[in-house]
Amino acid sequence: MDRFDPATIGVRSGHFIGGSYVDDDLGPRIEVARPSDGVLYASVPVADAATIDRAVQNAWAAWRTSGWARIAPRERARVLRRFADLVAADVETLAPLEALGSTRPIRDAFNWDVPFTAEGIRFYAEFADKVGGDVAATDHDHLGMTIAEPYGVVAAIAPWNFPLVMASWKIAPALAAGNAVVLKPSEMTPFSVLRLAELAVEAGVPPGIFNVVQGDGRTTGDALVRHPRIAKVTFTGSTRTGAAIMAACAETGTKPVTLELGGKSPQIVFADAPRIDDVARRIAGAITTNAGQVCVAGSRLLVERSIADELAARIQRIFGELKAGATWTPGTTLPPIISEPQAARIEAIVERSVASGAVLRCGGHRADASGPGAFYTPTLLTHVTPQTDAVRDEIFGPVLTLQTFDTEDEALELAAHPDYGLAAGVHTADLGRALRMVRGIEAGTVWVNRYGRTSDFMIPTGGYKRSGLGKDLGRQAYEANLRFKSVLIDVRV
Ligand code: NAD
């Protein structure tokens, strides 16, 4: 699928609690805009503490009575595999729904976001009957065990940049481990996950085990993480919100948290990197995919001085090939910025950076997409320092800064960010050098001669420093949704 008519896409709104839609809040509502053209196309209620209580109590009751945590794990896996199949089969509905309200071009939503969401659910379904507890090595008078048990009700809070995929990384391991989930999507992209919840029920997930609540962060998100029946919180979003959530979790029950937060990831290119054209494409792609609205966007290019000009020229050429357009238009390779305030923020950071001495090699202004919507031109800034705003702040837009180095030590020094440590790229033909960089970089993920994940869900993702706590994906995310009970049995006669 490479296009659709936005006027033909209907959305269902409201919360999804106990297996059905609920929309009886009398309080304020949030009008939701399409990023591609700014048109307000639907609204969502803002769940207050009372609605959150209703959702969480419902989830708790379902968790206690539905048998989800107690059925044979293999049966739970079978239900979740069916859920994954239904998601994959629903691509013609889900992909336009995702593209309509987010920054995901329809071709990507169809070929990647929806299949990847389904595959993530399937991946965790496979864990359900593979990971249990452990038997400890004890003397023969005792039997020592650890039993893996679900927490109960898990709160999941998701961002707007990949609404379905980010939500699936939260809900799939939580459900597979036998928990109930209350998911709060971003108020900017609230609709596609509702379809996910419908499909879960259709697949046989008991009503009340997977719920969706709508609303903003301050009222809804905060009430959710503070609810006394929430036993664990898993969050993806900004570092500032992550810190607030961690504080709320500490204040209301020392709840365990998984935090996937912001980044300012370096791309380190040595002069010996093979195939400079490929490297240029990789670097350009890592900052323009989803218009740079990616947590692991490779936003800081660090390049060995001798090839800096040549690489910059190639990146600039690739930037020029990108086509700004609505998510429903064929051929769009530069999608919109999620909102006007976010586009204005990008503009302001670039302006401040230029005012402090940075030089615009290209971009630095809004892109013309022949229509409304907030689009920003891929931008390359040179003559920056570690203090330049564009080098320091997570921009969440297609803005790349370029710094040069002469030695490995210098590259490592520039790569180190005072706050973030989410991901990094190293591009070199020298294996020893690559490994020295891998060891030297403080980041949760380092990609060598590539940038971005493959579809190997076993490789976890997560940040060092203020980029996060714990992991999504991999075995780690499954285990983070379990608590481990130690049992010691005296077997002496
Ligand atoms: P955000 O922090 O503004 O919002 C994320 C979610 O948190 C939303 O659902 C929001 O409503 C909710 N929220 C806001 N305040 C809250 C509060 N006080 N209590 C509870 N919930 C609250 O982030 P965003 O703008 O939606 O997403 C962009 C950010 O997400 C970027 O910083 C990006 O790097 C990060 N991100 C990280 C990863 C990762 O894997 N590390 C992945 C995607 C996005």
Side-chain angles (χ1 to χ4, degrees):
M1 189 183 281
D2 72 347
R3 75 194 69 195
F4 66 94
D5 177 357
T8 62
I9 310 297
V11 295
R12 291 216 53 182
S13 178
H15 315 296
F16 193 87
I17 299 174
S20 39
Y21 281 92
V22 175
D23 196 350
D24 53 8
D25 295 72
L26 300 173
R29 299 184 73 85
I30 297 173
E31 298 286 331
V32 185
R34 304 194 302 221
S36 291
D37 59 6
V39 167
L40 299 174
Y41 68 111
S43 69
V44 284
V46 178
D48 60 10
T51 302
I52 290 297
D53 187 52
R54 179 173 167 189
V56 177
Q57 296 293 2
N58 208 293
W60 169 251
W63 187 69
R64 302 264 297 173
T65 59
S66 69
W68 183 246
R70 289 193 306 272
I71 52 170
R74 186 128 194 92
E75 173 59 17
R76 197 160 61 234
R78 203 169 58 78
V79 170
L80 290 175
R81 283 199 303 273
R82 199 182 311 136
F83 178 24
D85 290 345
L86 290 179
V87 171
D90 199 54
V91 64
E92 306 253 342
T93 302
L94 265 173
L97 192 56
E98 183 76 328
L100 182 76
S102 77
T103 57
R104 305 295 299 136
I106 182 62
R107 187 193 290 266
D108 296 336
F110 189 85
N111 292 321
W112 189 78
D113 298 64
V114 175
F116 203 63
T117 297
E119 198 56 21
I121 295 168
R122 194 171 291 117
F123 173 81
Y124 281 108
E126 289 157 3
F127 266 94
D129 63 345
K130 310 281 185 308
V131 177
D134 244 329
V135 175
T138 60
D139 63 45
H140 282 207
D141 288 344
H142 301 97
L143 180 63
M145 301 182 281
T146 45
I147 303 177
E149 298 182 334
Y151 277 98
V153 187
V154 171
I157 301 186
W160 49 262
N161 59 341
F162 297 87
L164 283 173
V165 171
M166 291 294 108
S168 70
W169 290 6
K170 304 290 181 199
I171 62 156
L175 292 174
N179 297 283
V181 177
V182 179
L183 167 70
K184 193 200 91 60
S186 166
E187 56 273 41
M188 288 192 269
T189 52
F191 301 117
S192 55
V193 295
L194 288 169
R195 179 75 187 138
L196 220 52
E198 283 177 27
L199 294 174
V201 171
E202 199 181 319
V205 174
I209 290 296
F210 175 17
N211 308 276
V212 178
V213 290
Q214 305 288 2
D216 62 5
R218 205 158 11 126
T219 306
T220 307
D222 188 62
L224 179 59
V225 299
R226 287 178 185 275
H227 194 285
R229 278 266 179 249
I230 291 296
K232 183 207 156 66
V233 175
T234 173
F235 169 78
T236 299
S238 65
T239 293
R240 201 172 59 173
T241 306
I245 286 177
M246 200 167 173
C249 287
E251 285 165 18
T252 59
T254 328
K255 296 161 186 159
V257 282
T258 299
L259 302 174
E260 299 297 336
L261 309 178
K264 192 72 200 171
S265 302
Q267 293 261 39
I268 307 170
V269 183
F270 288 92
D272 66 359
R275 298 181 301 278
I276 189 151
D277 255 333
D278 290 355
V279 174
R281 292 229 159 257
R282 219 178 290 149
I283 304 288
I287 191 63
T288 56
T289 298
N290 209 26
Q293 301 164 112
V294 181
C295 56
V296 293
S299 52
R300 293 186 295 135
L301 172 58
L302 312 178
V303 53
E304 195 166 346
R305 193 181 308 276
S306 59
I307 60 160
D309 267 345
E310 189 186 349
L311 187 61
R314 286 173 200 240
I315 291 169
Q316 186 176 349
R317 205 171 318 129
I318 298 163
F319 279 0
E321 294 166 6
L322 295 174
K323 188 167 165 272
T327 54
W328 47 78
T329 306
T332 290
T333 46
L334 185 71
I337 303 302
I338 185 70
S339 66
E340 177 51 40
Q342 173 59 13
R345 181 175 169 273
I346 297 170
E347 228 167 10
I349 295 176
V350 171
E351 278 166 17
R352 282 202 305 274
S353 302
V354 171
S356 70
V359 172
L360 272 172
R361 171 122 191 182
C362 63
H365 54 82
R366 300 291 180 109
D368 179 11
S370 54
F375 295 85
Y376 199 83
T377 323
T379 298
L380 182 56
L381 282 168
T382 60
H383 299 79
V384 293
T385 72
Q387 284 71 43
T388 306
D389 285 8
V391 175
R392 221 188 37 219
D393 298 347
E394 184 185 45
I395 298 179
F396 236 54
V399 179
L400 181 66
T401 58
L402 185 154
Q403 292 165 278
T404 54
F405 64 83
D406 292 305
T407 66
E408 286 182 23
D409 283 347
E410 243 184 283
L412 281 176
E413 203 178 311
L414 289 172
H417 189 280
D419 297 323
Y420 296 120
L422 191 56
V426 177
H427 310 269
T428 175
D430 180 333
L431 181 61
R433 166 178 277 165
L435 287 173
R436 286 191 293 279
M437 301 307 283
V438 166
R439 289 244 161 87
I441 292 169
E442 240 191 310
T445 295
V446 182
W447 286 299
V448 178
N449 292 330
R450 61 170 294 110
Y451 200 83
R453 70 185 70 263
T454 58
S455 52
D456 299 305
F457 291 86
M458 266 317 267
I459 301 171
T461 176
Y464 280 15
K465 303 201 281 189
R466 300 197 75 201
S467 288
L469 189 66
K471 300 285 184 186
D472 270 351
L473 300 182
R475 193 185 63 245
Q476 288 88 339
Y478 185 73
E479 288 176 350
N481 282 282
L482 290 166
R483 46 191 176 173
F484 295 87
K485 180 179 284 171
S486 298
V487 180
L488 187 57
I489 305 171
D490 212 330
V491 294
R492 276 176 296 207
V493 281

